[in-house]
Amino acid sequence: MKKPSLLDRHLLAANKKEIQLIERRLFLKGTFSMGALALLSGCDLADNETVNRMLHGMSRFNDEIQAKLFDVTRLAPEYAPNMITQPFPFNAFYARDAVPIVDASTYHLELLGLIRDKKSWTLKELGELPQVSQITRHVCVEGWSAIGKWGGVRFSDFLQRIGADTTARFVGFKCADDYYTSIDMATALHPQTLLALTFADKTLPTEYGFPMKVRIPTKLGFKNPKHVMAIYVTNTYPGGYWEDKGYNWFSGL
Ligand SMILES: Nc1nc2c(c(=O)[nH]1)N[C@H]1C(S)=C(S)[C@@H](COP(=O)(O)O)O[C@H]1N2
Ligand SMILES: [Mo]
């Protein structure tokens, strides 16, 4: 049998979670199962292409429901320092030796889109803003989770400061390794969403996203971009690296 590719594994894991979520919601409603739904829609669940198309449609529909259900006042659990996972896992769409090296002395966080003050920010300037920290759990869709401590600038404070249009729908992130992702504005404004500059009280290590990662404890790991080079505010759906390959876009926890 052919060894599943990284993408296959990711999609399998994502689809499995998606099916479980959908099954659970349908079950809670006490009416349907995936099987019943397939009969209703005339879908043949033995056909992979059909399953994918059906799940994709449900996934986009799900984004809207999840966005509506998202409670900005609900906080992700925070943990005691002795619960921090050591060593903290590394993950990316490439091996550890391919992690991008960003030069701290020339780094400028670029701001684009619906933002009043688009001046870019050096690492030093970001470090001079008020800092907060959190010990939270990172949950990867591939089936592992780990607790870590991140410190940095509260994203909502930063968005206010730069005059971002917070009535816009999306905030997108571009990374040094060609990774990209995007989130809903409500999550961007959530009090635990950080522009993280430190990990375990030290400068963010290269493998964990130096010089800056956006830490979002209310979302799955793949929606926490590392090595962030640019932030943009937009009303046009920006998608993401895994999202464009079939992951559910909202992916809240
Ligand atoms: N720039 C970038 N950010 C990324 C990724 C990536 O490949 N590139 N992978 C994502 C995934 S799937 C996970 S689980 C986490 C892993 O973060 P860690 O290495 O700090 O554990 O980073 C996320 N952010
Ligand atoms: Mo992940």
Side-chain angles (χ1 to χ4, degrees), residues 1 10 35 46 55 67 147 206 216 234 252:
M1 208 172 86
H10 266 88
L55 285 174
I147 295 173
T206 306
I216 313 171
T234 179

Side-chain angles (χ1 to χ4, degrees), residues 10 88-94 138 140 142 144 175 177 179 207-208 213 221-222 224-227 242:
H10 266 88
F88 194 86
F90 161 81
N91 197 27
F93 65 92
Y94 42 77
H138 171 114
C140 174
E142 285 181 281
W144 57 270
C175 308
D177 55 1
Y179 196 77
E207 68 266 42
Y208 301 138
K213 87 168 235 166
F222 79 89
N224 287 236
K226 306 193 282 187
H227 321 287
W242 290 116

Side-chain angles (χ1 to χ4, degrees), residues 212-225:
M212 190 273 277
K213 87 168 235 166
V214 181
R215 175 62 191 141
I216 313 171
T218 56
K219 290 228 187 270
L220 281 172
F222 79 89
K223 302 215 56 105
N224 287 236

Side-chain angles (χ1 to χ4, degrees), residues 38-113:
L39 278 177
L40 256 184
S41 59
C43 283
D44 176 6
L45 287 186
D47 170 3
N48 240 320
E49 188 49 39
T50 314
V51 172
N52 273 341
R53 235 183 303 113
M54 187 167 111
L55 285 174
H56 200 81
M58 290 175 94
S59 188
R60 295 293 299 139
F61 175 69
N62 233 326
D63 285 338
E64 283 168 46
I65 308 285
Q66 288 182 82
K68 289 208 170 73
L69 290 176
F70 183 68
D71 178 356
V72 272
T73 64
R74 206 184 106 211
L75 297 179
E78 301 210 13
Y79 300 88
N82 66 0
M83 291 186 73
I84 291 171
T85 307
Q86 274 163 335
F88 194 86
F90 161 81
N91 197 27
F93 65 92
Y94 42 77
R96 195 183 279 249
D97 60 10
V99 168
I101 311 286
V102 179
D103 182 351
S105 64
T106 56
Y107 176 77
H108 276 88
L109 174 64
E110 243 189 289
L111 302 180
L112 307 156

Side-chain angles (χ1 to χ4, degrees), residues 85-157:
T85 307
Q86 274 163 335
F88 194 86
F90 161 81
N91 197 27
F93 65 92
Y94 42 77
R96 195 183 279 249
D97 60 10
V99 168
I101 311 286
V102 179
D103 182 351
S105 64
T106 56
Y107 176 77
H108 276 88
L109 174 64
E110 243 189 289
L111 302 180
L112 307 156
L114 305 172
I115 292 171
R116 189 182 354 98
D117 183 2
K118 291 200 189 69
K119 151 193 125 56
S120 62
W121 289 68
T122 65
L123 213 43
K124 184 165 172 287
E125 289 169 328
L126 289 172
E128 282 164 1
L129 294 173
Q131 308 285 306
V132 293
S133 71
Q134 61 176 256
I135 300 175
T136 51
R137 185 185 294 276
H138 171 114
V139 182
C140 174
V141 72
E142 285 181 281
W144 57 270
S145 82
I147 295 173
K149 180 174 184 180
W150 291 270
V153 181
R154 204 188 291 273
F155 195 30
S156 63
D157 292 347

